[in-house]
Amino acid sequence: MDAALHKIAIVDATGSGKGKRRFTRDAIGAGSRSVYGVLEELGIEAKIFLAEDILEKGFPQRFSSLFISAMSMDKIAVKRVISSWRKNADGRVVIGGPISSELDSTLLSTQADIIVIGEGEKTIKELIEYDALRESTSIETLKKILGIGFFDSNGKVKINGFRKYSSREEFRAFQASTKCITDYPKYFSAKVYVECVRGCSNFKGTKLLLPDGRQCSDCGFCDSYCLEDRLKCPEGIPPGCGFCSVPNLFGPARSRTPDQVVKEIAKLLEKNVKRIILSAPDFLDFGRDNELGDNLLMNPYFPKANIKLIEELLSQIASIKNVSNGKAWIEVENIKAHLFTEEVAKILSKYLPGSSFSIGCETGSESHAIQLGRSSMPKETLRAVKIAHKYGLKAHVYFIHGLPGQTKQTATETVKLIHNLEPYIEKVTIYRFRPLPMSAFGDVPPPKPAVKNPISKMIADAANEVNFQKKTNLVGKKVRVILSEPNYREEGGAIANILDGGPMVAVENAKERIGEIVTVYIDKVITEKLVHGKIVE
Ligand code: SF4
């Protein structure tokens, strides 16, 4: 492998939909930085771009190949990026990230040359070591690389065997790049995700009847600690909550070491990053796997949260200079309600006071939660947010409408729970169910939007009511924000993001201070998604 022959463009298309990000505009996921980290280790030059910038301005220079990271919803943006690439370049196009779990359909619809399925680091390393990015690479060579799909010499899609999930040691051996963070235009105000845990500990499966007739027969393999047993499910039901592909794509939960996470954060903060999200399908899985020796963490309940290691991690993070002096903001991404205890809340509030985190509740009905394969029950979410509130932590709770098994009864129970949660939470986020490839519900037809489905609408209305109330409650309050970009509608003004989540804030006379964290007094609601404020410090 001659590193000098490569110069790779990495396009982060995550969340770009048809071309422009409408949601999560202030988020930088860990995927593209991980890919960059592999290239960096191999001594290969690379640069990260946002899909929307490429679609607006084209590729600013020549590259030998193109890597794209995206989700299924970004297919149109990905197609447009590839067509822009092929106008001036002939290097191979490789796609990775959740979009690749659609296998044949990803290749056929985007016409990329190669897809990388599931965890990408080892596969990308092999693609380069086998010299598979060159047009002249033989099909026989491509066939040797596990975890990829490509077009064979007859133009037919060929999907190679999947790669085994990385072991804890292999996962820890790869390091996401920190150097590349400045390739992102808004890195100084964006939420930068730092991977702490990969995979999920919930290897139970859905009990619902699937469209092709498969249904759980209660064989007991789900309770096994052995991955091979679990994957031998006689009914072929993918592990985890029926709507989620994380366990199937990324395997059991594995944690990085506190030292790795802390070093990565410190380097990002040195580069002027100000917001860090400790990323994990469940942050409370952090270090639980350490207690199992060689066994894999596929049980969501035992062992309990590893308080000692979580405290070790958070105390080290809290002592990084820019964190201790309030110039940077750290928060946890997701937690599972059943692992959240007073002890956990005490530690979180000690080192990350006033911070927020998300809890996926998805349904307010216990019987529905069991049918879906959930590990936490709705009552555990209520219990968890009450504890969080007591310790000054801000919970955001997620629900999904249109899920398989949703009935008027389950929606009524969900509405009731949303209202019961209200006093203890910051906001409710609802999503419409989307069938994800490689999840148990992958072949379930997508549901109608909430406006066209009266049962889903009950859930959407309850969430909107609670969120509207929360927004109105902001008026007259002081909030900590990060000033992100100029406000083109108000001279001298800036648009800011509230650190612990919430609507955008139009801040007057703040343009000169973009990139800073400040305290703002909210004086009015402008629209459903925008409030107005003044700097008070
Ligand atoms: S939704 Fe959460 S708990 Fe359920 S399988 Fe996915 S990551 Fe695991």
Side-chain angles (χ1 to χ4, degrees), residues 199-202 239-247 281-282 336 362 373-375:
C200 177
S201 60
N202 180 19
C241 306
F243 52 83
C244 178
S245 57
V246 167
D282 176 10
K336 283 191 181 67
E362 327 304 1
R374 302 281 305 144
S375 50

Side-chain angles (χ1 to χ4, degrees), residues 28 33 36 40 176-190 192 263-276 320 322 327-328 515:
I28 299 178
R33 285 200 302 115
Y36 197 111
E40 205 168 58
S177 168
T178 50
K179 173 183 139 198
C180 64
I181 194 66
T182 51
D183 288 351
Y184 284 92
K186 300 246 173 64
Y187 68 94
F188 54 84
S189 64
V192 177
K263 279 196 181 130
E264 186 173 330
I265 293 175
K267 282 190 191 160
L268 288 167
L269 299 188
E270 270 169 29
K271 298 237 169 248
N272 205 19
V273 168
K274 304 211 180 59
R275 295 162 85 192
I276 298 284
I320 301 173
N322 277 8
K327 290 195 173 151

Side-chain angles (χ1 to χ4, degrees), residues 393-439:
L393 298 166
K394 295 169 178 154
H396 300 176
V397 185
Y398 285 68
F399 289 90
I400 307 178
H401 67 78
L403 276 166
Q406 175 182 286
T407 61
K408 193 165 179 198
Q409 173 61 27
T410 64
T412 306
E413 290 176 56
T414 303
V415 168
K416 191 170 167 213
L417 180 67
I418 290 175
H419 287 297
N420 287 343
L421 294 172
E422 204 225 299
Y424 312 105
I425 61 172
E426 281 303 290
K427 70 168 182 181
V428 177
T429 300
I430 50 160
Y431 284 109
R432 172 158 44 129
F433 161 66
R434 285 188 192 280
L436 291 182
M438 295 187 72
S439 70

Side-chain angles (χ1 to χ4, degrees), residues 8 12 53 68 81 90 119 138 169 190 199 203 207 227 282 304 315 353 355 359 395 403 413 467 480 483 522:
I8 296 179
D12 189 340
D53 292 339
I68 305 177
V81 167
D90 47 18
E119 293 179 272
S138 71
E169 286 64 38
F203 263 64
K207 307 273 181 208
L227 183 62
D282 176 10
K304 291 193 296 188
S315 62
S355 70
I359 299 184
L403 276 166
E413 290 176 56
N467 289 338
R480 299 262 287 154
L483 300 163
I522 304 294

